Amino acid sequence: MDRSTLAEFLRRRREALQPEDVGLPAGPRRKARGLRREEVAALAAMSVDYYTRLEQQRGPQPSEQMLTALARALRLEADERDYLFQISGRNAPSANAVATHVAPALLRVLDRLDDTPALILSNLGEVLVQNHFADALYGDHSHHTGLARSTIYRWFVDPDERLIYPEADRARQSRAQVAGLRAAYGSMGAQSRAGELVRALQAASEEFAQLWERHEVARRFEDHKTLIHPQLGPIEVDCQALFTEDWSQSLLVLTAAPRTEAAEKIALLGVLGHERFAAPTR
């Protein structure tokens, strides 16, 4: 671990960013160049003290998870991310691994979507980052680990995962999940994490095994669907996806037609957040 180079790299990258680059308000009387240390720490979900010690060459060797969070917070490109790992004494993420480093171009778009649900997914259906509205609609996915990080995996092994869709639409959603995984499997190979996911689901779900044999391949690009929120009920949305050039990640944006009941419900999502209200007694 090269502490002095790491400290200088973090400081330079922090000073090169402006608050609007990461979706933050500039605020009054800002004197320091770029982002403040506390802003980077908040974006990376780490303590200000921990980040400050890294910039002061006093910190411990960051874990791979911490480095991934820092790369995301500082909006590093792939080469910059790999450099960050190397000067920290860690191996850069394998090119064959699932892309967990969020594409900065997608993040810049997500940063500006502050009035509708939006989230960035890997090609295995792993939620990499989501805004407040998506958090309120879909729930917090950050606690999932292993194969369960994939929404595709949870769709076929956890019945509760399907409750957000009307029953009549679940068969179509199952086909879409398998077709998307088939596309990832084709580009990543049998020995990749896509292959691991396929083998696990073939053993765990007869429905998945049958759909897998159909060899349907598709990457979603637009969709019209109804999602069910526990408090607000059905919400009719249009779903658009913006893909990275290598198709490894997608930004999913959910919108509703203006001046509709669905648009009013989406606005309410920003107020509700994670709040869950008990059903009224009769």
Side-chain angles (χ1 to χ4, degrees), residues 66-86:
M66 283 291 190
L67 292 172
T68 298
L70 280 171
R72 181 179 303 168
L74 294 170
R75 304 304 194 255
L76 300 184
E77 300 291 346
D79 289 342
E80 295 172 321
R81 174 209 60 194
D82 291 352
Y83 179 73
L84 174 65
F85 272 71
Q86 290 158 1

Side-chain angles (χ1 to χ4, degrees), residues 12-35:
R12 292 286 186 179
R13 295 309 306 151
R14 174 173 61 82
E15 291 178 350
L17 288 172
Q18 296 302 317
E20 56 268 26
D21 295 334
V22 296
L24 296 175
R29 295 183 300 182
R30 178 177 288 267
K31 296 180 180 179
R33 286 193 301 166
L35 297 181

Side-chain angles (χ1 to χ4, degrees), residues 13-264:
R13 295 309 306 151
R14 174 173 61 82
E15 291 178 350
L17 288 172
Q18 296 302 317
E20 56 268 26
D21 295 334
V22 296
L24 296 175
R29 295 183 300 182
R30 178 177 288 267
K31 296 180 180 179
R33 286 193 301 166
L35 297 181
R36 299 186 177 102
R37 286 173 174 169
E38 56 266 30
E39 290 171 334
V40 174
L43 290 168
M46 61 180 61
S47 72
V48 178
D49 178 67
Y50 182 93
Y51 179 78
T52 299
R53 283 187 290 146
L54 290 178
E55 278 203 11
Q56 294 177 345
Q57 306 181 37
R58 299 186 295 110
Q61 183 184 28
S63 66
E64 293 180 0
Q65 291 79 7
M66 283 291 190
L67 292 172
T68 298
L70 280 171
R72 181 179 303 168
L74 294 170
R75 304 304 194 255
L76 300 184
E77 300 291 346
D79 289 342
E80 295 172 321
R81 174 209 60 194
D82 291 352
Y83 179 73
L84 174 65
F85 272 71
Q86 290 158 1
I87 62 178
S88 302
R90 302 286 186 186
N91 292 325
S94 168
N96 294 323
V98 172
T100 56
H101 173 66
V102 182
L106 294 187
L107 269 177
R108 286 193 291 271
V109 179
L110 180 67
D111 288 337
R112 287 156 176 76
L113 296 172
D114 57 3
D115 61 353
T116 199
L119 59 160
I120 297 176
L121 299 164
S122 77
N123 56 356
L124 296 188
E126 297 175 325
V127 177
L128 303 179
V129 61
Q130 57 187 21
N131 67 8
H132 172 70
F133 284 82
D135 209 23
L137 179 59
Y138 288 105
D140 181 12
H141 294 279
S142 62
H143 64 281
H144 294 297
T145 59
L147 293 176
R149 289 187 60 218
S150 168
T151 56
I152 303 171
Y153 181 82
R154 297 198 307 275
W155 178 265
F156 289 100
V157 302
D158 182 0
D160 289 344
E161 192 73 13
R162 304 189 175 205
L163 297 179
I164 195 170
Y165 285 91
E167 186 172 358
D169 196 36
R170 293 172 190 172
R172 181 174 73 106
Q173 183 64 15
S174 291
R175 290 180 61 192
Q177 297 278 17
V178 177
L181 179 55
R182 175 68 76 172
Y185 180 88
S187 62
M188 299 175 68
Q191 300 309 312
S192 66
R193 285 197 59 207
E196 179 186 3
L197 185 57
V198 168
R199 290 186 289 274
L201 283 172
Q202 284 175 322
S205 169
E206 182 178 350
E207 179 192 11
F208 174 86
Q210 292 176 352
L211 290 173
W212 185 253
E213 290 305 314
R214 298 174 67 161
H215 286 262
E216 293 181 324
V217 185
R219 289 186 175 99
R220 146 174 44 194
F221 57 95
E222 65 177 331
D223 203 359
H224 184 83
K225 62 178 64 178
T226 299
L227 300 176
I228 302 175
H229 186 272
Q231 279 70 51
L232 301 178
I235 307 176
E236 192 172 346
V237 296
D238 291 307
C239 179
Q240 270 74 38
L242 175 64
F243 288 89
T244 54
E245 187 175 355
D246 63 359
W247 296 88
S248 65
Q249 295 177 14
S250 60
L251 170 63
L252 213 60
V253 183
L254 281 66
T255 59
R259 297 175 296 279
T260 61
E261 182 182 6
E264 295 175 358

